[in-house]
Amino acid sequence: MIYRPRRLRRTETLRSLVREHRTSIEHLVQPLFVVERQADAGAIVSMPGIERFSVEGVVDEVRALDALGIKSVLLFGIPAHKDAVASSNYDDNGVVQRAIRAIKTAAPQVAVIADLCNCEYTDHGHCGILDDRGNVDNDATVALLVRTALTYAKAGVDVIAPSDMMDGRVGAIRSALDAHGHTDTAIMAYSAKYASAFYGPFRDAAGSVPQFGDRRSYQMDPANANEALREIALDLEEGADIVMVKPGLPYLDIVRAARDAFDVPIAVYNVSGEYAMLKAAAANGWIDEHRAVDETLIAFGRAGADIIITYFAKDYAQRKAMGA
Ligand code: PBG
């Protein structure tokens, strides 16, 4: 035997010396839920350890994250008022707009990314506005998204992240931002977003369960891989700066394919259901949470992701700060 792979696995120092990937805290993004009504703040049952914050609460949380080295956050708003046309979404004084301003004032060095979608703001829970037959009207929805995007940009957001999966929204948002002087506001497109069962806990957290039907007429079919590359190419042509694959673990092949095909930053979203599964198994003593989280995060890097959006970000940074 000339080559013995075990030689370099003998001690932690040697293993570390030849380690190909590392999870770095700089690449992690913490999603944060911000509520307009104080009564909606607090724990989320299906996502143990994750909370919904008031605007004041979220500023404190961002300061704590910043101190731990998590310098990028992804905001989701939970408004007091929902209606058919998501009017709380494009309100200059809406919950996300206020949170953006408050965070950028308190911690300007933190990168604020705002998820852009209508599902948390519509009373029917769909990501767009409906036509008279109850179908999501693509172009009318894009017009609303553009309107909201401008209010986020005006509030000082660093990155806008459209997660609605309407056709043509990236191009429409990019032109509107540029026309209004927001040429520096970046776009992280949820390009390959699948119609997934793994969003369940998020919909609990955001109160965005569709009141009828499902999201399969706009989110991607889990069976398709080539289509993901087409979606990513389209978003890049339309001006996306960062593209995303979502969910994460069941779609690592898509992350790898995207990495091989495109020379742009790729984000992966380790979604609520992936978080909940691990937490539930750990709570039952069926899995070692810390090792499973470390393994999950390294898998994203190994698959080719640059940016990892994960509910585990804070906990991971806390553990690393304690040397664990
Ligand atoms: C909004 C949105 C969703 C998620 C991110 N943005 C929910 C959905 O599409 O139903 C899911 C995030 C998660 O599950 O952690 N459209």
Side-chain angles (χ1 to χ4, degrees):
M1 257 190 293
I2 302 287
Y3 180 53
R4 288 177 180 266
R6 289 186 57 197
R7 271 185 208 121
L8 298 179
R9 292 181 202 143
R10 199 168 47 83
T11 69
E12 175 50 26
T13 306
L14 287 172
R15 288 192 293 274
S16 175
L17 182 68
V18 298
R19 191 159 289 142
E20 296 176 42
H21 294 280
R22 285 192 161 71
T23 299
S24 59
I25 287 170
E26 292 88 335
H27 291 138
L28 303 184
V29 177
Q30 177 75 48
L32 294 170
F33 298 101
V34 198
V35 300
E36 187 158 22
R37 250 192 325 234
Q38 186 61 45
D40 292 332
I44 301 160
V45 175
S46 53
M47 300 178 73
I50 302 297
E51 259 183 76
R52 296 189 281 218
F53 296 102
S54 64
V55 171
E56 301 72 51
V58 89
V59 170
D60 291 341
E61 182 67 3
V62 167
R63 284 205 185 94
L65 288 165
D66 185 29
L68 287 166
I70 304 286
K71 293 177 184 296
S72 302
V73 295
L74 173 61
L75 300 184
F76 291 95
I78 298 156
H81 166 78
K82 302 187 188 226
D83 58 32
V85 295
S87 59
S88 303
N89 207 2
Y90 48 79
D91 178 352
D92 269 318
N93 245 330
V95 61
V96 169
Q97 291 83 346
R98 284 197 285 121
I100 294 167
R101 282 194 292 266
I103 295 169
K104 292 307 290 187
T105 305
Q109 69 284 5
V110 167
V112 177
I113 310 170
D115 181 272
L116 173 62
C117 196
N118 290 306
C119 61
E120 304 96 329
Y121 300 85
T122 52
D123 48 12
H124 46 69
H126 276 288
C127 299
I129 52 174
L130 305 177
D131 63 19
D132 8 331
R133 280 159 307 145
N135 296 320
V136 171
D137 180 333
N138 192 88
D139 298 6
T141 300
V142 169
L144 276 189
L145 292 168
V146 164
R147 192 166 167 189
T148 301
L150 288 172
T151 67
Y152 289 177
K154 217 160 74 180
V157 82
D158 294 287
V159 184
I160 292 176
S163 67
D164 52 284
M165 290 299 279
M166 296 302 121
D167 295 331
R169 89 281 208 212
V170 172
I173 293 165
R174 186 69 270 161
S175 347
L177 289 173
D178 292 351
H180 288 81
H182 300 298
T183 50
D184 284 342
T185 309
I187 297 177
M188 174 166 76
Y190 285 72
S191 302
K193 175 171 177 179
Y194 287 87
S196 174
F198 291 96
Y199 306 149
F202 173 96
R203 292 180 189 171
D204 259 10
S208 62
V209 181
Q211 296 306 299
F212 63 90
D214 54 43
R215 302 208 202 292
R216 283 183 243 203
S217 79
Y218 40 103
Q219 299 180 348
M220 282 184 55
D221 186 331
N224 295 355
N226 295 332
E227 190 190 357
L229 299 183
R230 244 173 6 250
E231 279 279 11
I232 292 172
L234 264 176
D235 284 353
L236 290 172
E237 276 163 36
E238 292 178 29
D241 301 284
I242 301 169
V243 293
M244 192 202 295
V245 174
K246 175 185 174 196
L249 284 181
Y251 298 90
L252 289 179
D253 57 324
I254 309 298
V255 175
R256 170 45 59 190
R259 171 75 295 147
D260 291 343
F262 302 101
D263 186 14
V264 296
I266 293 173
V268 66
Y269 200 141
N270 179 216
V271 302
S272 57
E274 298 172 57
Y275 177 85
M277 279 195 303
L278 252 167
K279 281 288 190 185
N284 277 293
W286 296 336
I287 203 168
D288 177 331
E289 179 179 334
H290 294 169
R291 286 189 55 204
V293 170
D294 290 356
E295 192 174 330
T296 299
L297 298 181
I298 209 72
F300 293 132
R302 201 184 60 236
D306 302 294
I307 300 167
I308 303 169
I309 303 164
T310 177
Y311 299 97
F312 289 112
K314 183 184 186 186
D315 191 60
Y316 182 83
Q318 241 157 5
R319 265 199 290 132
K320 296 301 140 178
M322 294 182 318

